[in-house]
Amino acid sequence: MPSAEQGLGQGGVKNNGYALLFQVDPEGKTFIQEYELLFKHTLDVNNDFAAVYDYYWWAGQFTLTSRVYQPDGQGGKQLNPALFLSPCDLDLTAERKTKNLADPQIWVTKTLDCEG
Amino acid sequence: MSTVTCSVTQNTPDTPPVTIGSVYHGTDAPYYVYDYDKIYGQGTTMKYIDEKSFVVIAQQGNVIYQETGVNGAIQQTGPPKSYKVPLLGSNAKCHDAITFGYKESYMVIGCIASDNVLKTQTLFLQVLDRTDFTKVSDVQSFPLTTDFTDFRVTTKLALRAFTIFDAQQNPVDYLMVYDQRRQH
């Protein structure tokens, strides 16, 4: 039985919320691999999962939000209190890193550890 | 069938509204039935794009773009605009379609192919121009393997686009890909 952490990158936790972020080239024709976003929550890996919930502009800053979900076993879900990332400074102009598709490298993981 | 009229009125706090123009006057219908699942098979979904258009996402990478009038009737004449995203994998399927910042007519289609044995997925992104629904560029594929990312799509891939401004105040468009999971 693999552990919950097996195969996951640094800071990765099974069932945590992930997203991929691509910069669009200036002509809008192609996507440049940019970030793997990890929404780092404290989870019961056997029950909970996190997912991107919404995004918005907050105080002039692009803000992503994620939430933790607890499946109710009946196809529905219950919500934990929302975990917002508004304190996070997701500086999209910093740490920008392009990927050479001919020479793949590990995607940049931007850990958003901003529970509150 | 009834008639609906949408008009523009103008008034001040002390005067009643006065009609100054008509936006639409014509027949109304309670709803339109498109029956796309009968045409394109079960599992076909629709995605609202804006007040005048929607996309039908069918099997095997087929996507159909439709424009409508204000009453929901199909606006364009002739066959629907369609495109088949060249996907690899027997269980590949497109999930979402959105317009994005660079050009009003540009649209990106997001698709996923899953290898249930290797536990890997491949993300496909296809940019189309909805004026004629032809490709703007070749489809791009991104392997979602453990070597690259822990991101996986468990239920439905979703796309969001947004624009930020860099230090020189130049607009930079981004596309976010995430798993919609079960929150909706």
mmCIF file of all heavy atoms in Angstrom, chain A residues 30-46:
data_model
loop_
_atom_site.group_PDB
_atom_site.id
_atom_site.type_symbol
_atom_site.label_atom_id
_atom_site.label_comp_id
_atom_site.label_asym_id
_atom_site.label_seq_id
_atom_site.Cartn_x
_atom_site.Cartn_y
_atom_site.Cartn_z
ATOM 1 N N THR A 30 -0.411 30.013 -27.933
ATOM 2 C CA THR A 30 0.132 28.849 -27.240
ATOM 3 C C THR A 30 0.220 29.125 -25.749
ATOM 4 O O THR A 30 0.142 30.275 -25.295
ATOM 5 C CB THR A 30 1.528 28.492 -27.773
ATOM 6 O OG1 THR A 30 2.393 29.622 -27.611
ATOM 7 C CG2 THR A 30 1.474 28.079 -29.224
ATOM 8 N N PHE A 31 0.415 28.047 -25.002
ATOM 9 C CA PHE A 31 0.466 28.125 -23.539
ATOM 10 C C PHE A 31 1.839 27.687 -23.060
ATOM 11 O O PHE A 31 2.358 26.651 -23.477
ATOM 12 C CB PHE A 31 -0.629 27.256 -22.925
ATOM 13 C CG PHE A 31 -1.994 27.668 -23.392
ATOM 14 C CD1 PHE A 31 -2.590 27.008 -24.454
ATOM 15 C CD2 PHE A 31 -2.652 28.743 -22.823
ATOM 16 C CE1 PHE A 31 -3.834 27.401 -24.924
ATOM 17 C CE2 PHE A 31 -3.890 29.133 -23.283
ATOM 18 C CZ PHE A 31 -4.488 28.469 -24.335
ATOM 19 N N ILE A 32 2.386 28.488 -22.209
ATOM 20 C CA ILE A 32 3.723 28.227 -21.701
ATOM 21 C C ILE A 32 3.578 27.641 -20.312
ATOM 22 O O ILE A 32 2.944 28.231 -19.447
ATOM 23 C CB ILE A 32 4.544 29.530 -21.641
ATOM 24 C CG1 ILE A 32 4.578 30.188 -23.016
ATOM 25 C CG2 ILE A 32 5.944 29.252 -21.120
ATOM 26 C CD1 ILE A 32 5.062 31.616 -22.992
ATOM 27 N N GLN A 33 4.159 26.487 -20.140
ATOM 28 C CA GLN A 33 4.048 25.818 -18.851
ATOM 29 C C GLN A 33 4.675 26.693 -17.780
ATOM 30 O O GLN A 33 5.806 27.139 -17.910
ATOM 31 C CB GLN A 33 4.769 24.488 -18.936
ATOM 32 C CG GLN A 33 4.231 23.438 -18.029
ATOM 33 C CD GLN A 33 4.680 22.074 -18.521
ATOM 34 O OE1 GLN A 33 4.260 21.631 -19.574
ATOM 35 N NE2 GLN A 33 5.548 21.463 -17.782
ATOM 36 N N GLU A 34 3.990 26.872 -16.721
ATOM 37 C CA GLU A 34 4.476 27.861 -15.765
ATOM 38 C C GLU A 34 4.493 27.344 -14.337
ATOM 39 O O GLU A 34 5.542 27.136 -13.767
ATOM 40 C CB GLU A 34 3.584 29.104 -15.847
ATOM 41 C CG GLU A 34 4.094 30.293 -15.075
ATOM 42 C CD GLU A 34 5.109 31.081 -15.854
ATOM 43 O OE1 GLU A 34 5.237 30.861 -17.062
ATOM 44 O OE2 GLU A 34 5.778 31.911 -15.256
ATOM 45 N N TYR A 35 3.346 27.117 -13.763
ATOM 46 C CA TYR A 35 3.288 26.749 -12.361
ATOM 47 C C TYR A 35 2.414 25.532 -12.127
ATOM 48 O O TYR A 35 1.393 25.368 -12.784
ATOM 49 C CB TYR A 35 2.666 27.873 -11.516
ATOM 50 C CG TYR A 35 3.498 29.088 -11.321
ATOM 51 C CD1 TYR A 35 3.055 30.311 -11.795
ATOM 52 C CD2 TYR A 35 4.706 29.036 -10.638
ATOM 53 C CE1 TYR A 35 3.797 31.463 -11.596
ATOM 54 C CE2 TYR A 35 5.453 30.178 -10.435
ATOM 55 C CZ TYR A 35 4.995 31.388 -10.922
ATOM 56 O OH TYR A 35 5.728 32.516 -10.721
ATOM 57 N N GLU A 36 2.809 24.738 -11.180
ATOM 58 C CA GLU A 36 1.876 23.834 -10.526
ATOM 59 C C GLU A 36 1.525 24.512 -9.211
ATOM 60 O O GLU A 36 2.406 24.857 -8.424
ATOM 61 C CB GLU A 36 2.514 22.473 -10.252
ATOM 62 C CG GLU A 36 1.637 21.547 -9.437
ATOM 63 C CD GLU A 36 2.424 20.377 -8.854
ATOM 64 O OE1 GLU A 36 3.269 20.611 -7.978
ATOM 65 O OE2 GLU A 36 2.182 19.249 -9.290
ATOM 66 N N LEU A 37 0.267 24.742 -9.003
ATOM 67 C CA LEU A 37 -0.156 25.387 -7.766
ATOM 68 C C LEU A 37 -0.628 24.327 -6.777
ATOM 69 O O LEU A 37 -1.426 23.459 -7.121
ATOM 70 C CB LEU A 37 -1.298 26.370 -8.029
ATOM 71 C CG LEU A 37 -0.997 27.502 -9.007
ATOM 72 C CD1 LEU A 37 -2.238 28.363 -9.198
ATOM 73 C CD2 LEU A 37 0.154 28.349 -8.519
ATOM 74 N N LEU A 38 -0.127 24.399 -5.598
ATOM 75 C CA LEU A 38 -0.537 23.466 -4.543
ATOM 76 C C LEU A 38 -1.221 24.250 -3.434
ATOM 77 O O LEU A 38 -0.643 25.158 -2.850
ATOM 78 C CB LEU A 38 0.687 22.735 -3.983
ATOM 79 C CG LEU A 38 0.489 22.014 -2.637
ATOM 80 C CD1 LEU A 38 -0.587 20.957 -2.750
ATOM 81 C CD2 LEU A 38 1.804 21.419 -2.165
ATOM 82 N N PHE A 39 -2.458 23.891 -3.199
ATOM 83 C CA PHE A 39 -3.205 24.506 -2.103
ATOM 84 C C PHE A 39 -3.036 23.613 -0.881
ATOM 85 O O PHE A 39 -3.681 22.572 -0.771
ATOM 86 C CB PHE A 39 -4.675 24.653 -2.471
ATOM 87 C CG PHE A 39 -4.896 25.560 -3.633
ATOM 88 C CD1 PHE A 39 -4.771 25.088 -4.920
ATOM 89 C CD2 PHE A 39 -5.205 26.893 -3.444
ATOM 90 C CE1 PHE A 39 -4.952 25.919 -6.003
ATOM 91 C CE2 PHE A 39 -5.392 27.729 -4.522
ATOM 92 C CZ PHE A 39 -5.260 27.246 -5.803
ATOM 93 N N LYS A 40 -2.140 23.992 -0.043
ATOM 94 C CA LYS A 40 -1.718 23.114 1.034
ATOM 95 C C LYS A 40 -2.648 23.262 2.241
ATOM 96 O O LYS A 40 -2.611 24.251 2.964
ATOM 97 C CB LYS A 40 -0.285 23.449 1.427
ATOM 98 C CG LYS A 40 0.349 22.457 2.376
ATOM 99 C CD LYS A 40 1.797 22.853 2.630
ATOM 100 C CE LYS A 40 2.461 21.882 3.590
ATOM 101 N NZ LYS A 40 3.847 22.307 3.885
ATOM 102 N N HIS A 41 -3.476 22.266 2.416
ATOM 103 C CA HIS A 41 -4.394 22.244 3.549
ATOM 104 C C HIS A 41 -4.031 21.084 4.475
ATOM 105 O O HIS A 41 -3.304 20.176 4.095
ATOM 106 C CB HIS A 41 -5.837 22.045 3.081
ATOM 107 C CG HIS A 41 -6.361 23.168 2.267
ATOM 108 N ND1 HIS A 41 -6.573 24.429 2.769
ATOM 109 C CD2 HIS A 41 -6.713 23.223 0.967
ATOM 110 C CE1 HIS A 41 -7.046 25.201 1.818
ATOM 111 N NE2 HIS A 41 -7.139 24.504 0.712
ATOM 112 N N THR A 42 -4.573 21.142 5.653
ATOM 113 C CA THR A 42 -4.449 20.013 6.574
ATOM 114 C C THR A 42 -5.651 19.100 6.349
ATOM 115 O O THR A 42 -6.792 19.508 6.552
ATOM 116 C CB THR A 42 -4.427 20.499 8.029
ATOM 117 O OG1 THR A 42 -3.321 21.387 8.192
ATOM 118 C CG2 THR A 42 -4.277 19.329 8.974
ATOM 119 N N LEU A 43 -5.364 17.882 5.889
ATOM 120 C CA LEU A 43 -6.450 16.997 5.472
ATOM 121 C C LEU A 43 -6.383 15.658 6.183
ATOM 122 O O LEU A 43 -5.314 15.190 6.560
ATOM 123 C CB LEU A 43 -6.357 16.729 3.959
ATOM 124 C CG LEU A 43 -6.448 17.918 3.013
ATOM 125 C CD1 LEU A 43 -6.206 17.436 1.595
ATOM 126 C CD2 LEU A 43 -7.790 18.583 3.125
ATOM 127 N N ASP A 44 -7.530 15.051 6.310
ATOM 128 C CA ASP A 44 -7.612 13.624 6.599
ATOM 129 C C ASP A 44 -7.546 12.948 5.234
ATOM 130 O O ASP A 44 -8.500 12.988 4.464
ATOM 131 C CB ASP A 44 -8.931 13.311 7.303
ATOM 132 C CG ASP A 44 -9.151 11.804 7.482
ATOM 133 O OD1 ASP A 44 -8.354 11.017 6.943
ATOM 134 O OD2 ASP A 44 -10.133 11.441 8.139
ATOM 135 N N VAL A 45 -6.396 12.352 4.920
ATOM 136 C CA VAL A 45 -6.190 11.879 3.551
ATOM 137 C C VAL A 45 -7.139 10.750 3.172
ATOM 138 O O VAL A 45 -7.280 10.411 2.000
ATOM 139 C CB VAL A 45 -4.731 11.418 3.339
ATOM 140 C CG1 VAL A 45 -3.789 12.588 3.497
ATOM 141 C CG2 VAL A 45 -4.376 10.290 4.319
ATOM 142 N N ASN A 46 -7.762 10.138 4.146
ATOM 143 C CA ASN A 46 -8.702 9.064 3.837
ATOM 144 C C ASN A 46 -10.127 9.566 3.647
ATOM 145 O O ASN A 46 -11.027 8.782 3.325
ATOM 146 C CB ASN A 46 -8.678 8.012 4.948
ATOM 147 C CG ASN A 46 -7.337 7.321 5.042
ATOM 148 O OD1 ASN A 46 -6.770 6.927 4.030
ATOM 149 N ND2 ASN A 46 -6.812 7.223 6.248
#
